[in-house]
Amino acid sequence: MKRILSALSVSVLSMVLLVACSETAEPVSDTENKQSDKNASNKSELTIKEVYEKMMSASEDINSLVMDMEMEQEIIEGDNEPVSTQSTIHSKVVQEPIGLEQKVNMTIEDQTIETEQYLTEEGFFMYDPGQKMWMKYSEGHEDLMAQLQADAGLDQTQTLGELKSFIEDFTFKQNDDEFILTLDADDEKFNSLVQDELSSSSVEMENVEDIEINGIEYEIFVDKKTYLPNQINIVMNINMSADGQKVTLKQDIDTVYSDYNSIDTITIPEEALKEAVELEM
Protein backbone atom coordinates (compact mmCIF):
# COMPACT_ATOMS: atom_id res chain seq x y z
CA MET A 1 0.00 0.00 0.00
CA LYS A 2 2.86 2.42 0.78
CA ARG A 3 4.22 1.94 -2.74
CA ILE A 4 0.80 2.85 -4.18
CA LEU A 5 0.61 6.10 -2.22
CA SER A 6 4.21 6.93 -3.13
CA ALA A 7 3.49 6.42 -6.82
CA LEU A 8 0.47 8.70 -6.64
CA SER A 9 2.55 11.40 -4.97
CA VAL A 10 5.64 11.35 -7.12
CA SER A 11 3.65 11.43 -10.34
CA VAL A 12 2.74 15.05 -9.57
CA LEU A 13 5.77 16.61 -11.26
CA SER A 14 5.39 14.49 -14.36
CA MET A 15 1.95 16.04 -14.89
CA VAL A 16 3.51 19.42 -15.66
CA LEU A 17 4.13 18.67 -19.34
CA LEU A 18 0.57 18.97 -20.58
CA VAL A 19 -0.84 19.60 -24.00
CA ALA A 20 -4.12 21.47 -24.32
CA CYS A 21 -6.16 23.27 -26.98
CA SER A 22 -4.68 25.87 -29.29
CA GLU A 23 -6.31 28.90 -27.65
CA THR A 24 -4.15 31.64 -26.16
CA ALA A 25 -4.16 32.07 -22.38
CA GLU A 26 -6.72 34.47 -20.94
CA PRO A 27 -5.78 36.78 -18.02
CA VAL A 28 -6.74 35.25 -14.69
CA SER A 29 -8.84 37.12 -12.14
CA ASP A 30 -7.58 37.85 -8.62
CA THR A 31 -9.86 35.28 -6.98
CA GLU A 32 -9.45 32.32 -9.30
CA ASN A 33 -6.36 30.68 -7.83
CA LYS A 34 -4.00 30.67 -4.87
CA GLN A 35 -1.36 32.92 -6.45
CA SER A 36 -3.43 35.34 -8.51
CA ASP A 37 -2.66 38.64 -6.80
CA LYS A 38 -1.49 40.12 -10.09
CA ASN A 39 -3.26 41.12 -13.29
CA ALA A 40 -1.87 39.96 -16.61
CA SER A 41 -0.70 43.25 -18.07
CA ASN A 42 2.24 41.32 -19.52
CA LYS A 43 -0.05 39.21 -21.67
CA SER A 44 1.48 36.57 -23.90
CA GLU A 45 -0.08 35.56 -27.21
CA LEU A 46 1.43 32.08 -27.08
CA THR A 47 -0.96 29.18 -27.41
CA ILE A 48 -0.83 26.28 -24.99
CA LYS A 49 0.71 24.16 -27.74
CA GLU A 50 3.52 26.68 -28.15
CA VAL A 51 4.02 26.86 -24.39
CA TYR A 52 4.10 23.08 -24.27
CA GLU A 53 6.81 22.92 -26.91
CA LYS A 54 8.91 25.43 -24.98
CA MET A 55 8.33 23.43 -21.78
CA MET A 56 9.55 20.29 -23.54
CA SER A 57 12.69 22.05 -24.70
CA ALA A 58 13.36 23.57 -21.26
CA SER A 59 12.77 20.29 -19.43
CA GLU A 60 15.44 18.55 -21.47
CA ASP A 61 18.04 20.75 -19.78
CA ILE A 62 16.98 20.04 -16.19
CA ASN A 63 19.71 18.31 -14.22
CA SER A 64 18.71 19.36 -10.72
CA LEU A 65 15.95 21.09 -8.79
CA VAL A 66 14.58 21.83 -5.33
CA MET A 67 11.06 20.87 -4.24
CA ASP A 68 9.23 22.13 -1.15
CA MET A 69 6.05 20.18 -0.54
CA GLU A 70 3.25 20.65 1.98
CA MET A 71 0.78 17.78 2.11
CA GLU A 72 -2.35 16.92 4.05
CA GLN A 73 -3.46 13.33 3.60
CA GLU A 74 -6.28 11.14 4.86
CA ILE A 75 -6.47 7.36 4.35
CA ILE A 76 -9.52 5.28 5.16
CA GLU A 77 -9.11 1.50 4.99
CA GLY A 78 -12.37 -0.44 5.06
CA ASP A 79 -14.48 0.48 8.08
CA ASN A 80 -11.50 1.77 10.06
CA GLU A 81 -11.23 5.32 11.34
CA PRO A 82 -9.50 7.81 9.02
CA VAL A 83 -5.75 8.22 9.51
CA SER A 84 -4.64 11.82 8.96
CA THR A 85 -1.11 12.89 8.05
CA GLN A 86 0.42 16.35 7.66
CA SER A 87 3.82 16.55 6.01
CA THR A 88 6.38 19.09 4.90
CA ILE A 89 9.14 17.72 2.66
CA HIS A 90 12.20 19.61 1.42
CA SER A 91 13.89 17.76 -1.43
CA LYS A 92 16.95 18.30 -3.57
CA VAL A 93 17.15 16.13 -6.68
CA VAL A 94 20.09 15.70 -9.04
CA GLN A 95 19.95 13.60 -12.19
CA GLU A 96 23.65 13.25 -13.01
CA PRO A 97 25.25 12.02 -10.86
CA ILE A 98 21.92 10.71 -9.53
CA GLY A 99 21.17 11.85 -6.00
CA LEU A 100 18.42 12.78 -3.56
CA GLU A 101 18.34 14.71 -0.31
CA GLN A 102 15.12 14.89 1.71
CA LYS A 103 14.25 16.47 5.02
CA VAL A 104 10.85 15.39 6.27
CA ASN A 105 8.56 16.62 9.03
CA MET A 106 5.52 14.38 9.35
CA THR A 107 2.66 14.36 11.85
CA ILE A 108 0.50 11.23 11.94
CA GLU A 109 -2.44 11.75 14.28
CA ASP A 110 -0.64 13.16 17.38
CA GLN A 111 2.85 11.85 16.65
CA THR A 112 5.45 14.04 14.91
CA ILE A 113 8.49 12.58 13.16
CA GLU A 114 11.46 14.51 11.79
CA THR A 115 13.97 12.69 9.67
CA GLU A 116 16.31 13.10 6.73
CA GLN A 117 17.59 10.77 4.06
CA TYR A 118 20.18 10.77 1.30
CA LEU A 119 20.54 8.60 -1.78
CA THR A 120 23.70 8.65 -3.89
CA GLU A 121 26.02 6.14 -5.51
CA GLU A 122 27.55 5.68 -2.04
CA GLY A 123 24.33 4.16 -0.77
CA PHE A 124 21.05 5.06 0.92
CA PHE A 125 21.42 6.84 4.28
CA MET A 126 18.49 7.49 6.60
CA TYR A 127 18.32 8.98 10.09
CA ASP A 128 16.10 7.07 12.51
CA PRO A 129 14.81 9.61 15.07
CA GLY A 130 13.40 6.87 17.29
CA GLN A 131 16.78 5.21 17.77
CA LYS A 132 18.69 8.46 17.22
CA MET A 133 21.03 6.81 14.77
CA TRP A 134 22.02 6.82 11.09
CA MET A 135 21.39 3.74 8.97
CA LYS A 136 23.03 2.85 5.67
CA TYR A 137 21.78 0.51 2.98
CA SER A 138 24.49 -0.34 0.47
CA GLU A 139 23.18 -3.50 -1.18
CA GLY A 140 20.04 -3.01 -3.24
CA HIS A 141 20.08 0.77 -3.26
CA GLU A 142 20.53 0.66 -7.04
CA ASP A 143 16.82 -0.15 -7.35
CA LEU A 144 15.98 2.97 -5.37
CA MET A 145 18.23 5.02 -7.63
CA ALA A 146 16.53 3.63 -10.73
CA GLN A 147 13.10 4.43 -9.32
CA LEU A 148 14.22 7.94 -8.36
CA GLN A 149 15.45 8.56 -11.88
CA ALA A 150 12.06 7.46 -13.26
CA ASP A 151 9.92 9.24 -10.68
CA ALA A 152 11.76 12.51 -10.10
CA GLY A 153 10.16 14.15 -13.12
CA LEU A 154 13.46 14.89 -14.83
CA ASP A 155 12.62 12.72 -17.83
CA GLN A 156 8.99 13.51 -18.46
CA THR A 157 8.64 12.76 -22.18
CA GLN A 158 7.47 9.19 -21.50
CA THR A 159 4.21 10.49 -20.02
CA LEU A 160 3.25 12.63 -23.02
CA GLY A 161 1.56 9.80 -24.92
CA GLU A 162 -0.78 9.24 -21.97
CA LEU A 163 -1.47 12.95 -21.41
CA LYS A 164 -2.27 13.91 -25.00
CA SER A 165 -5.68 12.25 -24.79
CA PHE A 166 -6.68 14.79 -22.11
CA ILE A 167 -5.90 17.89 -24.19
CA GLU A 168 -9.28 19.57 -24.02
CA ASP A 169 -9.79 18.98 -20.30
CA PHE A 170 -7.31 21.67 -19.23
CA THR A 171 -8.00 25.38 -19.04
CA PHE A 172 -5.21 27.81 -19.87
CA LYS A 173 -4.83 31.26 -18.32
CA GLN A 174 -2.05 33.64 -17.31
CA ASN A 175 -0.95 36.42 -14.99
CA ASP A 176 2.03 38.77 -15.38
CA ASP A 177 4.65 36.14 -14.61
CA GLU A 178 3.06 32.76 -15.20
CA PHE A 179 0.95 30.56 -17.41
CA ILE A 180 -1.67 28.72 -15.35
CA LEU A 181 -2.98 25.29 -16.32
CA THR A 182 -5.95 23.96 -14.37
CA LEU A 183 -7.90 20.73 -14.36
CA ASP A 184 -11.02 19.70 -12.45
CA ALA A 185 -11.51 16.02 -13.21
CA ASP A 186 -13.91 13.36 -12.05
CA ASP A 187 -14.67 11.61 -15.32
CA GLU A 188 -14.23 7.86 -15.65
CA LYS A 189 -11.70 8.30 -18.47
CA PHE A 190 -9.12 9.58 -15.96
CA ASN A 191 -9.11 6.17 -14.27
CA SER A 192 -6.97 4.82 -17.10
CA LEU A 193 -4.42 7.62 -16.56
CA VAL A 194 -4.09 6.73 -12.87
CA GLN A 195 -3.71 3.05 -13.73
CA ASP A 196 -1.04 3.84 -16.32
CA GLU A 197 0.84 6.00 -13.82
CA LEU A 198 0.73 3.23 -11.19
CA SER A 199 1.87 0.61 -13.71
CA SER A 200 4.80 2.75 -14.89
CA SER A 201 5.89 3.31 -11.27
CA SER A 202 6.65 -0.37 -10.56
CA VAL A 203 3.52 -0.84 -8.44
CA GLU A 204 2.26 -4.42 -8.12
CA MET A 205 -1.00 -3.81 -9.94
CA GLU A 206 -2.31 -7.32 -9.31
CA ASN A 207 -3.06 -6.18 -5.74
CA VAL A 208 -4.95 -3.08 -6.88
CA GLU A 209 -8.44 -3.12 -8.35
CA ASP A 210 -11.41 -0.86 -9.01
CA ILE A 211 -9.60 2.47 -9.08
CA GLU A 212 -12.21 5.21 -8.96
CA ILE A 213 -11.51 8.94 -9.12
CA ASN A 214 -13.96 10.95 -7.05
CA GLY A 215 -12.20 14.14 -8.01
CA ILE A 216 -8.79 15.59 -8.93
CA GLU A 217 -7.99 19.30 -9.14
CA TYR A 218 -4.74 20.66 -10.52
CA GLU A 219 -3.24 24.16 -10.57
CA ILE A 220 0.05 24.29 -12.47
CA PHE A 221 2.00 27.57 -12.58
CA VAL A 222 4.59 27.82 -15.38
CA ASP A 223 7.19 30.59 -15.41
CA LYS A 224 6.89 32.79 -18.50
CA LYS A 225 10.64 33.34 -18.73
CA THR A 226 11.96 29.81 -18.17
CA TYR A 227 8.88 27.72 -19.13
CA LEU A 228 9.48 25.58 -16.06
CA PRO A 229 6.98 24.99 -13.22
CA ASN A 230 7.03 27.34 -10.23
CA GLN A 231 4.29 25.57 -8.29
CA ILE A 232 1.81 22.72 -8.57
CA ASN A 233 -1.24 22.44 -6.32
CA ILE A 234 -3.22 19.20 -6.28
CA VAL A 235 -6.35 18.05 -4.50
CA MET A 236 -7.30 14.42 -5.08
CA ASN A 237 -9.88 11.97 -3.80
CA ILE A 238 -9.46 8.36 -4.98
CA ASN A 239 -11.09 5.04 -4.10
CA MET A 240 -9.39 1.71 -4.80
CA SER A 241 -9.35 -1.88 -3.64
CA ALA A 242 -6.08 -3.27 -2.29
CA ASP A 243 -5.88 -6.94 -1.34
CA GLY A 244 -9.67 -7.07 -1.32
CA GLN A 245 -10.10 -4.10 1.00
CA LYS A 246 -11.57 -0.74 0.00
CA VAL A 247 -9.18 2.16 0.48
CA THR A 248 -10.00 5.86 0.15
CA LEU A 249 -7.13 8.30 -0.35
CA LYS A 250 -7.57 12.05 0.03
CA GLN A 251 -4.64 14.41 -0.55
CA ASP A 252 -4.10 18.15 -0.68
CA ILE A 253 -0.59 18.84 -1.98
CA ASP A 254 1.14 22.16 -2.66
CA THR A 255 4.63 21.90 -4.17
CA VAL A 256 6.98 24.80 -4.95
CA TYR A 257 9.87 24.23 -7.40
CA SER A 258 13.03 26.33 -7.39
CA ASP A 259 16.79 26.45 -7.96
CA TYR A 260 16.76 24.63 -11.27
CA ASN A 261 20.25 23.43 -12.24
CA SER A 262 21.83 25.10 -9.21
CA ILE A 263 22.93 21.85 -7.50
CA ASP A 264 25.92 19.89 -8.79
CA THR A 265 25.89 16.92 -6.40
CA ILE A 266 24.21 15.64 -3.26
CA THR A 267 26.59 15.58 -0.29
CA ILE A 268 26.04 13.08 2.50
CA PRO A 269 26.66 14.56 5.99
CA GLU A 270 29.97 13.59 7.53
CA GLU A 271 28.13 12.35 10.63
CA ALA A 272 26.17 9.87 8.53
CA LEU A 273 29.27 8.62 6.74
CA LYS A 274 31.09 8.02 10.03
CA GLU A 275 28.31 6.72 12.27
CA ALA A 276 25.83 4.91 10.01
CA VAL A 277 25.02 1.30 10.89
CA GLU A 278 25.01 -0.79 7.71
CA LEU A 279 21.89 -2.83 7.07
CA GLU A 280 20.48 -4.97 4.28
CA MET A 281 17.41 -3.99 2.29
Side-chain angles (χ1 to χ4, degrees):
M1 188 64 210
K2 291 180 180 178
R3 295 176 67 189
I4 297 171
L5 302 183
S6 174
L8 288 170
S9 298
V10 298
S11 64
V12 170
L13 183 55
S14 67
M15 293 295 293
V16 72
L17 293 180
L18 304 168
V19 187
C21 59
S22 59
E23 298 177 358
T24 59
E26 293 298 323
V28 67
S29 70
D30 285 350
T31 58
E32 283 186 301
N33 60 71
K34 296 180 181 179
Q35 290 190 343
S36 56
D37 58 351
K38 300 164 280 188
N39 292 320
S41 59
N42 181 29
K43 182 178 178 180
S44 170
E45 297 299 326
L46 291 176
T47 66
I48 183 59
K49 182 177 180 180
E50 292 168 331
V51 170
Y52 160 75
E53 291 172 350
K54 291 180 179 293
M55 290 166 64
M56 278 289 293
S57 178
S59 69
E60 292 176 356
D61 296 327
I62 297 176
N63 187 62
S64 66
L65 55 83
V66 174
M67 297 184 290
D68 285 287
M69 175 186 294
E70 295 184 0
M71 180 177 68
E72 294 186 3
Q73 176 175 278
E74 180 181 88
I75 300 176
I76 304 174
E77 297 187 30
D79 296 327
N80 296 325
E81 291 294 316
V83 177
S84 298
T85 305
Q86 295 80 40
S87 305
T88 59
I89 304 174
H90 176 76
S91 303
K92 296 180 180 179
V93 183
V94 178
Q95 183 176 18
E96 182 61 43
I98 188 71
L100 169 70
E101 172 187 325
Q102 282 192 329
K103 296 182 179 179
V104 181
N105 183 299
M106 179 181 300
T107 300
I108 305 176
E109 299 302 306
D110 296 327
Q111 183 178 6
T112 298
I113 300 171
E114 292 188 15
T115 187
E116 54 187 297
Q117 55 192 26
Y118 299 82
L119 178 63
T120 71
E121 294 178 349
E122 296 180 77
F124 178 57
F125 294 77
M126 181 174 65
Y127 183 73
D128 184 339
Q131 301 185 61
K132 297 182 179 179
M133 60 178 287
W134 283 95
M135 298 178 294
K136 176 185 179 182
Y137 299 88
S138 296
E139 298 296 328
H141 78 283
E142 295 87 354
D143 293 337
L144 285 175
M145 294 180 69
Q147 184 172 352
L148 169 64
Q149 204 153 17
D151 293 342
L154 295 170
D155 183 8
Q156 303 168 53
T157 55
Q158 61 186 359
T159 65
L160 291 177
E162 301 166 4
L163 297 175
K164 284 182 179 179
S165 59
F166 305 103
I167 287 175
E168 296 183 359
D169 295 289
F170 287 87
T171 60
F172 180 46
K173 297 185 178 182
Q174 64 180 293
N175 58 35
D176 271 357
D177 302 317
E178 298 160 316
F179 298 104
I180 304 168
L181 287 72
T182 60
L183 170 68
D184 188 349
D186 58 8
D187 195 276
E188 182 178 342
K189 68 180 180 180
F190 291 96
N191 290 359
S192 63
L193 178 61
V194 173
Q195 291 172 347
D196 289 340
E197 288 295 323
L198 292 176
S199 297
S200 65
S201 300
S202 67
V203 174
E204 297 176 1
M205 290 299 294
E206 62 268 20
N207 297 325
V208 180
E209 299 176 341
D210 303 324
I211 297 174
E212 177 185 2
I213 298 177
N214 299 321
I216 297 183
E217 301 173 11
Y218 286 88
E219 288 182 309
I220 304 174
F221 300 86
V222 182
D223 190 280
K224 283 186 174 181
K225 294 181 179 179
T226 65
Y227 298 98
L228 294 171
N230 289 331
Q231 181 165 345
I232 300 178
N233 304 321
I234 294 184
V235 178
M236 66 169 63
N237 186 329
I238 298 175
N239 293 336
M240 68 187 83
S241 294
D243 296 322
Q245 186 175 43
K246 180 180 178 181
V247 177
T248 298
L249 168 67
K250 300 178 181 179
Q251 288 184 331
D252 189 338
I253 306 170
D254 291 353
T255 306
V256 175
Y257 303 91
S258 61
D259 295 334
Y260 286 100
N261 295 332
S262 66
I263 308 166
D264 294 326
T265 60
I266 298 298
T267 302
I268 298 172
E270 192 68 24
E271 178 185 8
L273 291 172
K274 290 182 178 180
E275 301 178 8
V277 177
E278 192 155 351
L279 304 172
E280 293 183 1
M281 289 208 165

